[in-house]
Amino acid sequence: MPNHLFSLASKVTVNGTPYHKSCFKCTHGGCVISPSNYIAHEGRLYCKHHHGQLIKEKGNLSQLEGDREKARTEVAAES
């Protein structure tokens, strides 16, 4: 569905960006989030729980992004 066809009841707008309610999910866990329980970090959306968990595990999310890129590179090299 094109963005301009969102019905008001089926969208969430955060910082001027509209999302389908069903697409407004945590990047890490896929859980549904809301404007009151999310954190945006480097263009990605996280629930507060998973964001805190990732910070504790990795020390920062920039390290997590480096781990994801390394995993993508390894998968591509195996193909």
Side-chain angles (χ1 to χ4, degrees):
M1 175 183 309
N3 286 346
H4 65 280
L5 296 178
F6 278 126
S7 76
L8 292 177
S10 68
K11 77 172 183 175
V12 174
T13 301
V14 177
N15 296 329
T17 303
Y19 297 90
H20 287 103
K21 281 186 180 179
S22 61
C23 297
F24 194 62
K25 295 183 179 183
C26 176
T27 298
H28 181 70
C31 48
V32 177
I33 54 180
S34 72
S36 64
N37 78 340
Y38 86 100
I39 295 173
H41 185 91
E42 295 180 354
R44 292 187 170 84
L45 302 173
Y46 299 91
C47 69
K48 288 182 180 180
H49 169 77
H50 285 125
H51 183 265
Q53 182 181 41
L54 291 168
I55 294 294
K56 286 178 185 175
E57 289 175 9
K58 300 293 182 179
N60 63 53
L61 291 183
S62 297
Q63 176 64 40
L64 175 68
E65 294 306 314
D67 291 349
R68 285 186 183 158
E69 187 58 37
K70 181 180 176 185
R72 281 189 214 119
T73 303
E74 290 172 357
V75 169
E78 292 173 3
S79 300

